[in-house]
Amino acid sequence: DAKTTQPPSMDCAEGRAANLPCNHSTISGNEYVYWYRQIHSQGPQYIIHGLKNNETNEMASLIITEDRKSSTLILPHATLRDTAVYYCIVRVGGGNAGNMLTFGGGTRLMVKP
Amino acid sequence: GAVVSQHPSWVICKSGTSVKIECRSLDFQATTMFWYRQFPKQSLMLMATSNEGSKATYEQGVEKDKFLINHASLTLSTLTVTSAHPEDSSFYICSASKAGGTDTQYFGPGTRLTVL
């Protein structure tokens, strides 16, 4: 699986958009970009994933650059409950349930009042 | 949908005893379940991949005789830490992928094991 690079920490003001970047310059054509987050002492929570098109769901938006070498997770209106470690993971998709996830260090997002 | 539960949520045991942790997919069938552990201030590390009805595949450095994994049904996988020692104290987390669906993994809430 391609390695990802994320800033170790970021701050965001409550109510503002949080933009979390991720570099994955060695991503392969069949690798998807997944985002998870982990609130302290809980299991990771799936947020969103995409291949090459931008994606949006009720939690966030995922913007993938045209060359797919980087992406940005956008939380449109951050709340204090969004304080967590956010993990960007790239891995082969295609419906194979056995494809594992490799977690890096993630970005520790602190949402401040 | 896609809810995964773990039991117990925390456990304290004496050194040398065995501890069983259950992972259940509550509203879907999971062909594959994964077990991770996480030490304080570190990221999740995959321990093993478990497929229903077959033997688990362990990651390098994980002792299969110490961490027994059973995936007897499409909704239940168990991890047994045998002869636990203080260095096994960690946060154990399972995840599951839906059978026949996308390969998105859904995680349980984790089990905190403390070995005295």
Side-chain angles (χ1 to χ4, degrees):
Chain A
D1 290 342
K3 183 178 178 180
T4 61
T5 303
Q6 299 177 254
S9 64
M10 290 182 63
D11 289 346
C12 177
E14 188 179 19
R16 304 296 294 268
N19 298 287
L20 292 94
C22 180
N23 285 321
H24 31 79
S25 59
T26 59
I27 192 171
S28 300
N30 62 346
E31 289 182 313
Y32 287 69
V33 180
Y34 282 79
W35 283 85
Y36 285 80
R37 71 179 182 184
Q38 186 178 27
I39 296 170
H40 183 62
S41 294
Q42 297 183 24
Q45 178 187 22
Y46 166 77
I47 302 173
I48 199 167
H49 76 282
L51 182 63
K52 54 184 178 181
N53 296 325
N54 297 336
E55 302 287 344
T56 296
N57 63 20
E58 65 278 3
M59 290 185 68
S61 294
L62 173 60
I63 308 299
I64 303 174
T65 57
E66 191 169 345
D67 63 7
R68 303 209 320 126
K69 293 185 177 181
S70 65
S71 60
T72 302
L73 179 75
I74 301 172
L75 307 179
H77 305 286
T79 69
L80 298 179
R81 287 177 293 181
D82 292 322
T83 292
V85 178
Y86 287 76
Y87 295 100
C88 168
I89 301 168
V90 295
R91 70 159 176 138
V92 175
N96 183 348
N99 290 329
M100 56 183 253
L101 294 170
T102 302
F103 286 81
T107 295
R108 184 172 299 277
L109 176 68
M110 179 73 72
V111 180
K112 297 183 175 180
Chain B
V3 179
V4 177
S5 70
Q6 282 184 241
H7 178 80
S9 55
W10 59 271
V11 56
I12 301 173
C13 69
K14 292 182 180 180
S15 185
T17 61
S18 294
V19 175
K20 179 185 283 189
I21 302 170
E22 293 185 349
C23 175
R24 294 182 185 271
S25 55
L26 298 185
D27 53 0
F28 67 99
Q29 293 185 324
T31 49
T32 305
M33 288 184 169
F34 303 83
W35 286 96
Y36 297 79
R37 64 182 167 185
Q38 184 176 32
F39 294 106
K41 298 188 184 301
Q42 295 185 23
S43 191
L44 282 78
M45 294 296 294
L46 180 68
M47 298 176 67
T49 302
S50 157
N51 291 298
E52 184 264 340
S54 62
K55 290 184 178 180
T57 302
Y58 291 81
E59 294 300 298
Q60 192 171 11
V62 178
E63 300 174 56
K64 62 180 181 180
D65 295 329
K66 180 172 182 62
F67 298 99
L68 302 179
I69 292 172
N70 184 282
H71 190 165
S73 78
L74 286 173
T75 59
L76 172 65
S77 176
T78 60
L79 168 68
T80 301
V81 183
T82 62
S83 187
H85 291 283
E87 58 266 29
D88 298 322
S89 297
S90 187
F91 192 48
Y92 291 86
I93 309 168
C94 72
S95 70
S97 295
K98 291 183 179 180
T102 68
D103 50 1
T104 300
Q105 287 185 32
Y106 299 93
F107 286 80
T111 297
R112 185 159 304 281
L113 169 64
T114 302
V115 185
L116 301 177

